[in-house]
Amino acid sequence: MIQPPETNQTAGRASTRTAWLVFAPPIAVLLLRFFLDTLAESLPGAQPLGAAQVVDDDVSAVMWQAAMPVLLTLAAAAALLLALWLAVRAWGWRRVTRVLLALWPAACALAAVTLALQYVNRAAMQPLPDAVAAVVQARPYPSTERGPGGAMTVLTLPGDAEPRRVLLEGADARALPPGQPLRLQRAQGRFWGEYVTGSDAPLAPRVEEQDLAPPQ
């Protein structure tokens, strides 16, 4: 049976609208992220000063802590897939699709707002007084495409009951033995968090200097 032209046009407009709803919001989020990342390149260097969950040399504990974000992401994805499967069984794919098409732009808008808040939080940081911390442990941290390298350092700040952890950009972990005092320049995020904007940690030697150093 041949469908009338009006039906084909209506179906075509519905398909176009659905395609816009599916692809346009994430593309807009990606463009916003690229724009904000470009703006962030001109901001002063700053690394978040967070709570340290591992303060020992237990390799298994360190690996577990490093894998925790990935495991949480996989668990959240599995929970979402299970919820989707249960919803399809209960209400049918057509009704679930309509709900997803309504929620998808809202989720992308939430992601865009989150990106904007993260940028403003760092761009509008307020300086804090310098603090002298004590090094608990320091490990070399290699640079990646997503961020600089340096020394991943666990330290204690005056007045803090729990140790803190921060990446000291370009620092030499071998020159940060336990107990060494370390002066930190800090800043408060516009909405949340503390950041380290500088320190007196010794810098790691460059590759050229390592190549020219005499053998010991």
Side-chain angles (χ1 to χ4, degrees):
M1 180 178 179
I2 300 177
Q3 295 181 347
E6 294 81 3
T7 303
N8 293 333
Q9 292 178 0
T10 302
R13 286 194 294 267
S15 299
T16 301
R17 184 169 58 252
T18 300
W20 274 101
L21 286 174
V22 171
F23 295 107
I27 291 176
V29 172
L30 291 176
L31 291 176
L32 175 64
R33 180 174 182 176
F34 175 77
F35 174 71
L36 294 178
D37 287 346
T38 302
L39 291 179
E41 292 178 356
S42 61
L43 297 178
Q47 291 294 332
L49 182 62
Q53 300 176 356
V54 175
V55 193
D56 51 42
D57 293 325
D58 188 348
V59 177
S60 62
V62 174
M63 293 180 62
W64 176 258
Q65 179 181 340
M68 184 60 67
V70 177
L71 296 177
L72 291 177
T73 301
L74 293 177
L80 289 175
L81 289 176
L82 178 60
L84 178 61
W85 179 71
L86 293 175
V88 170
R89 289 197 59 182
W91 299 308
W93 178 250
R94 186 181 298 274
R95 183 179 298 180
V96 172
T97 301
R98 287 198 296 267
V99 174
L100 291 177
L101 287 178
L103 293 178
W104 179 241
C108 292
L110 179 61
V113 171
T114 302
L115 290 174
L117 288 177
Q118 289 176 345
Y119 172 78
V120 174
N121 184 64
R122 180 171 168 205
M125 291 187 302
Q126 300 296 322
L128 293 172
D130 291 357
V132 178
V135 175
V136 177
Q137 66 177 204
R139 300 175 181 275
Y141 189 86
S143 61
T144 64
E145 295 180 356
R146 300 182 60 183
M152 184 61 71
T153 308
V154 177
L155 43 82
T156 56
L157 289 169
D160 283 359
E162 299 295 333
R164 312 285 288 276
R165 185 177 70 169
V166 66
L167 172 63
L168 301 177
E169 296 184 21
D172 188 358
R174 298 169 299 179
L176 297 173
Q180 176 173 328
L182 193 64
R183 179 172 292 276
L184 303 177
Q185 290 85 51
R186 301 179 300 157
Q188 177 72 43
R190 179 63 178 85
F191 304 113
W192 65 80
E194 291 184 27
Y195 294 84
V196 171
T197 57
S199 73
D200 61 354
L203 296 179
R206 294 178 298 180
V207 176
E208 295 84 356
E209 296 175 353
Q210 293 179 345
D211 293 340
L212 295 176
Q216 298 180 354

